[in-house]
Amino acid sequence: MKKLLQVQEALTGGHRLCAGCSESIIAKQVVMASPRPVVAILATSCLEVATTIYPYTAWMIPLLHVAFENVDAVASGVEAAYLALKKQSTLPHNEDLEILALGGDGGTYDIGLQSLSGALERKARIRRICFCNEGYMNTGIQRSSATPFGAHTTTTPRGNASFGKIEWRKDLTGIVAAHHIPYIGQAAPVTLKPHDLRIKAAKGFEADGPAFLNVLAPCSRGWGFEPKDTIAIANLAVETCYWPLFEIVEGKWNLTYEPKIKKPIRDWLAAQKRFEHLLTDEPLIEYIQKRIDEEWEALLKKCDRK
Amino acid sequence: MPEKQTLEIRWHGRGGQGIVTAAKMPAEVIIKQNGHALASQEYGPERSGAPIKCYTTISNTEIKMYSQPEHPDIVIVVDSTLLKTEPILEGTNENAIIIVNSSHEPENIARAISGGKRKVWTVDATAIALQELGKNFPNTTLLGALIRATELVSLENILEKVAEGLGKKNAALLEGNLQAVRRGYNEARFYQGSEDAVPSTPAPPQKAWYEIEEAGTLPAGTAKKYSTGDWRITHPVLNEQCVHCMLCWLFCPDNAIVVKNEKVIGFDPEHCKGCGICAEVCPPKIRAIAMEEGGEPCEK
Ligand code: SF4
Ligand code: SF4
């Protein structure tokens, strides 16, 4: 830990993310893990909007802002351009760089999916982080394909006619796995394993080819919890197996944290206002528990734990 | 056709203080009385703690202007820390009424913002809210003060609206809120403004959008110069139990844990938003950080 103190932090204070936002915590821990200088390409997102309000920027590393849908295309272009310049020896320093592409669940699960898939298939040597806050929080909390079943958002409101979102969330980590890239991780900013996220990022930076990290990014405004509980909520996501921590290294699945006692999904739901209305609906909670259990069993099997 | 009369109100608050709801309430009362009203919000991400603006427009004829009012007749400041950082008087003239949530005398506020020239009402809405609701939710009190300052609608009508709005959802808070409106109405204090006061120097105008550089580059880390310290409503305090494990440093979202010679020595008062994460992630056996009420500068 003491060694980390020497590393230049990627983001300064003075950015305008909500108090207690997880995104700057994730960004800082990820960049900290790189052994080489990092160039970041950032899709429009909460993180982008709040850290780069003109004439201020909170970034200490070179950063390129692009649209929601093309961060991976731009990042692979930056990589190709860098390699070409290096080959021509026209660069002032001939050092190796890390190209880090960042996007929210909108820019990754939804509008950015085709560009992501393309870059992964082309085996661009980029490091891709998804800040999964499970909705379009930047524009006022609308649903995304990462929004969980039953959650209240402004476009899936709870009420007499509906219990919130009726579709199950998309398995993006699984979709990325189908691209057979060298390193994939699912992570969260948790204190129950405080270095898990950073270690996964470090492994990603060493991958020979694309690396992808899907990171759960608790959002106090959108999910409805106190800003101080950001990390506690992330812990709970892992302890209830709602968001298991695992990695896929060269196709081999590996669980990086197994809760000693698996907490009931009700604990996860009860901690957030977006699920408030579900708490009286026992059959729905049973249904959610059943699907979470099935997903967990399937994951254990893939990780050779069963 | 009656003579056209419009009244425009601008609300300054912070994300999470419920000012969007507050801006809607008088509009809803007016609409119910067959008048015309519009409530709107400045488009932008709703960062909790960040300064935001809302608007209420009230008219006796149909409102055809949907853009945000640029020359409000009334400005309501829900959070007095914004007096220092936000252009509160922007677009207003000498006749505008400024209503501020503050324990200070209105004359003092008028001096601070305009050298004593402007018409100011103050009401200690935070104290009233804490007494009546047990929470810092000053909007209903300010609504009372607004009614007092403008006689826009009657006190009874606004009380009815508050009761209707809260009745279903939150019966427990209803009586407290009604009392807060009444006290806001009764306890608001007024300062007339003085003609011969020395006018303050106006703030330099901001760059217009067309004066900004196209696709330029910025030097790194300029946000350091931007203070988010005034977002705090609680602040962290460090005690001697600290074992300098650096967990709080690893998880602080605002780079506000100050470390010197590998030791945590305090918090950055300019950037700490008072989120309380540091106090939560400090190991339970150590508990070296406590959050205390108030946005006082945290020790460094
Ligand atoms: S987490 Fe607690 S013990 Fe560790 S450095 Fe911070 S204050 Fe000190
Ligand atoms: S309260 Fe603690 S964690 Fe939150 S911004 Fe301040 S120093 Fe950082």
Side-chain angles (χ1 to χ4, degrees), chain A residues 1-7, chain B residues 249 262:
Chain A
M1 191 81 127
K2 297 269 144 93
K3 250 193 274 158
L4 289 178
L5 290 169
Q6 314 306 325
V7 182
Chain B
W249 171 81
E262 305 189 345

Side-chain angles (χ1 to χ4, degrees), chain B residues 236 248 251-254 256-257 267 271-279 291:
Chain B
C248 55
F251 285 92
C252 169
D254 292 280
I257 307 282
F267 310 92
H271 299 124
C272 167
K273 292 177 187 151
C275 67
I277 287 183
C278 51
M291 297 305 291

Side-chain angles (χ1 to χ4, degrees), chain B residues 82-103:
Chain B
L82 294 169
L83 291 173
K84 272 186 254 147
T85 52
E86 287 292 286
I88 300 295
L89 296 180
E90 193 178 56
T92 62
N93 65 25
E94 251 82 282
N95 296 321
I97 294 174
I98 320 293
I99 304 175
V100 182
N101 169 15
S102 166
S103 59

Side-chain angles (χ1 to χ4, degrees), chain B residues 4 37 56 84 89 92 108 125-126 157 187 191 224 281:
Chain B
K4 187 175 179 237
T56 316
K84 272 186 254 147
L89 296 180
T92 62
N108 296 346
T126 297
N157 283 335
E187 294 175 29
Y191 170 73
K224 246 187 242 169
V281 301

